[in-house]
Amino acid sequence: MQPKPIRTTVIGSYPFPGWLEFASQNLDQFGAADIEEMIEDAVVAAVHDQTTAGLDVISDGEQTRLDFNLSFYGYLKGLQPNHAETRKFGPPAHDQRGKHSIVDELTAPNGLGAVREYQRLKKLAPAGPTLKASIPGPYTLSGRMLPNDRYKDRYAITEALLPIVRKELEDLVAAGCKEITVDEPSMSCYAYKEDTKRFVDIFNRTVAPVVGKCRLSTHLCFGNFKGRPVGYRKIHPMLPDFLDLSVDEVHVEMANREFDEIELIAEFAQKMDVAVGIIDVKNYYIETVRDVVERIETCLKYIPAEKLAVAPDCGLSQTARWAARQKLINMVAGAKQVRGN
């Protein structure tokens, strides 16, 4: 089925309720049943905010992706946390994120958890919106692992992770998931200095088994840890090679970059659908409906309405919930105004 013009979608993450953040820091006081109830309640809250806003596509808000056993790294065997490599004090930045040492062969005997997340979302979401699952690609996932004698560099780690991510994608499709985003922001962050053809080869080998079996997209941004970018925030280094990504839709960060290089999006639109980030998740200015309308009209100069979706620049996990909620409400209202409904 052809998606509606100017679809309203999200990247995946949504702010945690305050009580969930508190509980995640005190997990030793909860049993397994308590944790599952807590997660379901958080997903219900995320779904409520998204459906109330009126989004065409929703996620589970990635409410299970806390830094404990439910995170992706918790599912991987052969790792142990290594926080000695991180900076402890000073302004927040990516070098303060936790790292992992590789101590054995990298495996994921029970998958990466995305299938269970999707099944929970399917159980809790109302009929109507499209349900989307998202999962990091192997290159991005490799970024928090330290090379060793077995895995000599980041690319070697990526190759070890590639079949694990590929299997998770296959399992998602088998579970009935119709829309999947493979997040590869590390590829867009480092396109200016790495081999972009190699990036495309890695990505396409990862998704090959599910191409044509779901609506497949990728999210490309320039980093958002603690609301901070990390990459060279330009699109032109990705071209022309990223036009060969095996996806139905590419998502690009635009609002925070003041729509710089928006004309280059026309090249993507010739090959695939485009979801444009028109909401700045790093800014607590709440875009008005008029702002949204004007931004969509700018996008329509380069992208046909039937190929355009609109979204926040990145996931909303680093944005306070009150702001995230109103930003989504205004985004949907603006899209509906342009669509004429």
Side-chain angles (χ1 to χ4, degrees), residues 16-256:
F16 295 151
W19 53 262
L20 182 63
E21 288 198 29
F22 176 81
S24 71
Q25 297 165 13
N26 296 274
L27 287 176
D28 58 338
Q29 299 182 47
F30 295 89
D34 301 316
I35 291 174
E36 182 59 29
E37 179 182 283
M38 182 165 58
I39 288 170
E40 286 204 2
D41 289 346
V43 172
V44 167
V47 167
H48 171 271
D49 284 5
Q50 294 173 86
T51 54
T52 300
L55 286 160
D56 299 313
V57 182
I58 67 170
S59 74
D60 71 342
E62 300 180 4
Q63 300 294 292
T64 66
R65 298 183 186 181
L66 303 172
D67 285 332
F68 64 105
N69 62 313
L70 294 179
S71 69
F72 288 114
Y73 298 100
Y75 282 105
L76 288 166
K77 304 300 181 184
L79 289 180
Q80 67 180 25
N82 181 345
H83 298 294
E85 303 283 340
T86 57
R87 180 169 58 88
K88 306 299 182 186
F89 302 102
H94 290 249
D95 61 339
Q96 292 180 323
R97 300 184 77 193
K99 296 283 187 177
H100 297 81
S101 292
I102 302 173
V103 296
D104 203 348
E105 180 183 3
L106 292 173
T107 62
N110 299 310
L112 295 172
V115 174
R116 188 178 177 194
E117 290 175 341
Y118 171 73
Q119 290 170 334
R120 183 186 293 110
L121 174 62
K122 188 175 179 180
K123 179 180 73 171
L124 298 174
T130 298
L131 308 182
K132 183 174 82 164
S134 62
I135 182 171
Y139 184 72
T140 292
L141 197 59
S142 71
R144 292 174 68 182
M145 301 183 197
L146 300 170
N148 65 359
D149 290 340
R150 183 172 195 156
Y151 303 102
K152 300 292 187 181
D153 58 23
R154 183 168 183 174
Y155 284 106
I157 299 171
T158 298
E159 291 297 336
L161 295 171
L162 193 154
I164 295 172
V165 176
R166 184 166 55 204
K167 177 65 162 56
E168 195 77 1
L169 294 172
E170 292 179 283
D171 290 347
L172 276 169
V173 170
C177 188
K178 302 296 186 185
E179 181 139 355
I180 304 174
T181 294
V182 178
D183 298 313
E184 277 289 12
S186 289
M187 289 188 176
S188 42
C189 283
Y190 303 123
Y192 74 98
K193 65 176 184 177
E194 297 287 342
D195 183 346
T196 49
K197 284 185 170 59
R198 188 174 191 179
F199 279 165
V200 172
D201 173 68
I202 289 168
F203 186 94
N204 288 350
R205 284 189 287 120
T206 303
V207 303
V210 299
V211 171
K213 298 178 181 178
C214 64
R215 182 170 175 80
L216 187 63
S217 60
T218 188
H219 168 55
L220 304 172
C221 73
F222 302 98
N224 192 37
F225 178 65
K226 303 295 186 184
R228 306 292 179 97
V230 68
Y232 176 62
R233 299 194 302 157
K234 292 289 186 180
I235 290 172
H236 67 265
M238 306 178 206
L239 296 171
D241 294 333
F242 278 29
L243 299 178
D244 293 327
L245 292 170
S246 296
V247 293
D248 300 296
E249 180 181 85
V250 62
H251 176 274
V252 290
E253 177 183 350
M254 272 289 165
N256 185 253

Side-chain angles (χ1 to χ4, degrees), residues 243-312:
L243 299 178
D244 293 327
L245 292 170
S246 296
V247 293
D248 300 296
E249 180 181 85
V250 62
H251 176 274
V252 290
E253 177 183 350
M254 272 289 165
N256 185 253
R257 300 172 52 256
E258 301 292 339
F259 288 77
D260 181 42
E261 299 180 304
I262 182 64
E263 69 280 357
L264 297 181
I265 300 305
E267 296 188 41
F268 283 104
Q270 291 176 10
K271 299 288 291 288
M272 59 197 72
D273 294 345
V274 181
V276 178
I278 65 167
I279 298 296
D280 187 351
V281 303
K282 299 178 177 73
N283 192 341
Y284 278 90
Y285 169 73
I286 306 298
E287 293 85 354
T288 66
V289 175
R290 171 42 48 186
D291 291 331
V292 171
V293 168
E294 290 175 352
R295 292 174 185 186
I296 292 174
E297 288 174 344
T298 297
C299 294
L300 289 173
K301 296 176 183 177
Y302 305 97
I303 309 163
E306 64 273 13
K307 303 195 76 172
L308 175 65
V310 294

